[in-house]
């Protein structure tokens, strides 16, 4: 039985990856941060099949202890301060967790001397102010946020450990991927959450920032399969994972509100405070290498993704309304 350690296991990607690895017969361990309240809602349905350990990417001791204890065959680093807008408000913390934290984890793995395979969750935000469309593994980076800059450091550090120490370490340059488990402060989930609450009579308006931004949106459940496939190859490589389609926030709004027969322009306000100091206008990925070498293909379309998220949040809002006696 293979052993895997997932940092960020309680997040969107971590929960889908944990399900996938359990289905494949892995012994799955997860790193979770200590807090006064449990934040394991996304993995509660498989909680009894997981082994969780307290730790943090800013604490080397906890990383060394966990790696020595678990002795994993594979490590998936999904932990980060992952919100781009927040990174402008907390740049130092973002760099410490999202950037330097990867160095701490890689070093903890290296010092064990075991042939552990390492996956680093890189991001399409690295491309930032894009110099070519679509973006491939060879496209130069131009980060436009502290989050993206920290991810760039982590990307090159992963490559460095691969080249300097012969470690099996690879980067997944994943473009935006969403699901009903997406955090509520991300624009896609913010939209679908509001649709549900508006229909349930719990909310009247939705305030958003840049509505013209375009993203390559896929389903998180599809993308975690690519993560696993990257660690099953003979040699480590870096891969772009994307759908090859780009859609604007306005398009997402139209589909989400249209799902319930509403016109988004009747409910959405522009909030300049939500616009980033340096905006990324358009991202579009070319996953040809992943399709060719990994055999990976996205299964859920953009339209199916939006419908899935809206339907889930309609049910959630209905339960909220019932609880509140509405």
């Amino acid at each position: 039985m293979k052993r895997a350690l997932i940092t960020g296991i309680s997040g969107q990607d971590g929960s889908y990856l944990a399900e996938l690895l359990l289905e494949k017969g892995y012994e799955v361990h997860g790193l979770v941060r200590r807090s006064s309240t449990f934040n394991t809602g996304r993995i509660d349905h498989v909680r009894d099949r997981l082994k969780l350990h307290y730790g943090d990417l800013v604490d080397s001791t906890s990383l060394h202890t966990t790696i020595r204890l678990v002795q994993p065959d594979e490590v998936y680093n999904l932990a980060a301060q992952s919100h781009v807008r927040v990174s402008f408000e907390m740049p130092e913390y973002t760099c410490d967790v999202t950037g330097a934290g990867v160095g701490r984890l890689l070093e903890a793995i290296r010092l064990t001397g075991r042939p552990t395979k390492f996956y680093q969750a890189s991001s399409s935000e690295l491309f930032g102010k894009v110099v070519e469309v679509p973006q491939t593994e060879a496209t130069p980076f131009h980060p436009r946020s502290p989050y993206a800059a920290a991810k760039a450091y982590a990307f090159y550090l992963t490559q460095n450990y691969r080249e300097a120490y012969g470690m099996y370490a690879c980067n997944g340059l994943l473009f935006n991927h969403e699901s009903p488990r997406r955090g509520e402060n991300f624009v896609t989930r913010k939209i679908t959450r509001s649709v549900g609450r508006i229909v349930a009579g719990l909310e009247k308006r939705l305030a958003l920032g840049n509505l013209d931004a375009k993203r390559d949106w896929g389903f998180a459940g599809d993308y975690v399969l690519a993560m696993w496939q990257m660690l099953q190859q003979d040699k480590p490589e870096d891969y772009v994972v994307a759908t090859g389609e780009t859609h604007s926030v306005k398009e997402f709004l139209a589909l989400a509100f249209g799902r319930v027969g509403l016109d988004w322009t009747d409910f959405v306000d522009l909030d300049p405070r939500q616009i980033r100091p340096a905006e990324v206008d358009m991202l579009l990925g070319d996953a040809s290498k992943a399709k060719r070498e990994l055999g990976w293909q996205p299964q859920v379309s953009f339209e199916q993704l939006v419908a899935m998220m809206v339907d889930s949040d309609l049910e959630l809002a209905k339960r909220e309304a019932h609880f509140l006696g509405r």
Side-chain angles (χ1 to χ4, degrees):
M1 179 181 289
K2 284 187 178 180
R3 284 190 302 277
L5 172 66
I6 304 171
T7 71
I9 194 171
S10 60
Q12 169 189 255
D13 292 6
S15 65
Y16 282 112
L17 180 59
E19 290 175 349
L20 175 69
L21 295 180
L22 287 171
E23 288 173 6
K24 293 186 177 297
Y26 279 65
E27 177 180 304
V28 180
H29 296 252
L31 194 72
V32 294
R33 287 181 297 170
R34 174 72 176 89
S35 66
S36 58
T37 57
F38 289 110
N39 185 31
T40 58
R42 296 181 181 93
I43 55 173
D44 280 346
H45 62 295
V46 291
R47 174 69 183 83
D48 61 336
R49 300 169 63 192
L50 304 173
K51 300 178 187 297
L52 302 183
H53 310 265
Y54 285 125
D56 199 305
L57 292 186
V58 301
D59 178 44
S60 295
T61 301
S62 65
L63 298 179
H64 284 269
T65 299
T66 303
I67 293 295
R68 286 199 306 269
L69 177 67
V70 176
Q71 297 188 33
D73 299 293
E74 300 171 0
V75 173
Y76 297 85
N77 182 40
L78 311 184
Q81 189 304 96
S82 59
H83 197 279
V84 175
R85 186 66 185 83
V86 170
S87 76
F88 284 101
E89 299 167 11
M90 303 177 67
E92 183 179 347
Y93 175 74
T94 299
C95 290
D96 195 14
V97 176
T98 308
V102 178
R104 297 184 186 102
L105 185 54
L106 281 165
E107 188 66 3
I109 294 169
R110 184 184 74 83
L111 291 175
T112 65
R114 300 185 75 253
T116 300
K117 294 184 175 182
F118 177 78
Y119 169 84
Q120 167 58 19
S122 288
S123 168
S124 59
E125 289 287 330
L126 292 173
F127 298 115
K129 191 175 181 179
V130 298
V131 298
E132 64 179 9
V133 178
Q135 295 87 53
T136 72
E137 292 82 4
T139 302
F141 296 155
H142 189 141
R144 298 272 282 174
S145 66
Y147 165 78
K151 281 290 189 182
Y153 173 77
F155 177 92
Y156 287 122
L157 200 58
T158 300
Q159 283 192 337
N160 180 253
Y161 269 69
R162 180 168 75 212
E163 295 170 2
Y165 302 114
M167 289 176 60
Y168 192 114
C170 62
N171 291 285
L173 286 156
L174 271 58
F175 281 64
N176 293 66
H177 45 289
E178 321 296 316
S179 75
R181 301 178 192 176
R182 188 59 144 152
E184 294 184 19
N185 57 349
F186 289 86
V187 65
T188 53
R189 186 73 195 291
K190 191 182 295 186
I191 291 169
T192 59
R193 198 73 174 89
S194 285
V195 169
R197 291 177 63 82
I198 287 170
V199 170
L202 300 174
E203 197 172 291
K204 294 182 178 180
R205 311 289 300 177
L206 168 63
L208 294 174
N210 182 7
L211 305 185
D212 295 315
K214 293 183 177 180
R215 294 291 184 270
D216 186 327
W217 276 305
F219 173 50
D222 289 342
Y223 284 39
V224 298
L225 175 61
M227 298 178 189
W228 176 77
Q229 289 174 324
M230 288 180 210
L231 296 195
Q232 312 313 308
Q233 305 307 302
D234 292 333
K235 61 178 183 176
E237 298 272 355
D238 303 324
Y239 294 90
V240 163
V241 180
T243 68
E245 297 180 9
T246 188
H247 300 276
S248 68
V249 175
K250 286 181 180 178
E251 289 179 76
F252 197 102
L253 282 165
L255 280 175
F257 278 87
R259 181 76 174 171
V260 294
L262 298 176
D263 184 341
W264 70 268
T265 61
D266 295 331
F267 300 93
V268 177
D269 300 314
L270 182 63
D271 182 1
R273 295 172 299 177
Q274 297 191 39
I275 296 177
R276 303 175 187 176
E279 186 59 78
V280 174
D281 298 316
M282 195 272 283
L283 293 172
L284 174 62
D286 179 354
S288 297
K289 181 181 177 182
K291 293 176 180 178
R292 182 177 65 253
E293 297 185 8
L294 305 179
W296 179 83
Q297 287 282 352
Q299 300 299 314
V300 177
S301 70
F302 177 66
E303 293 76 14
Q304 290 171 324
L305 173 64
V306 177
M308 176 198 307
M309 294 177 67
V310 170
D311 292 350
S312 175
D313 279 330
L314 283 171
E315 288 300 315
L316 178 57
K318 189 183 299 183
R319 292 195 297 271
E320 285 182 320
H322 178 75
F323 178 77
L324 295 171
R326 300 287 183 89

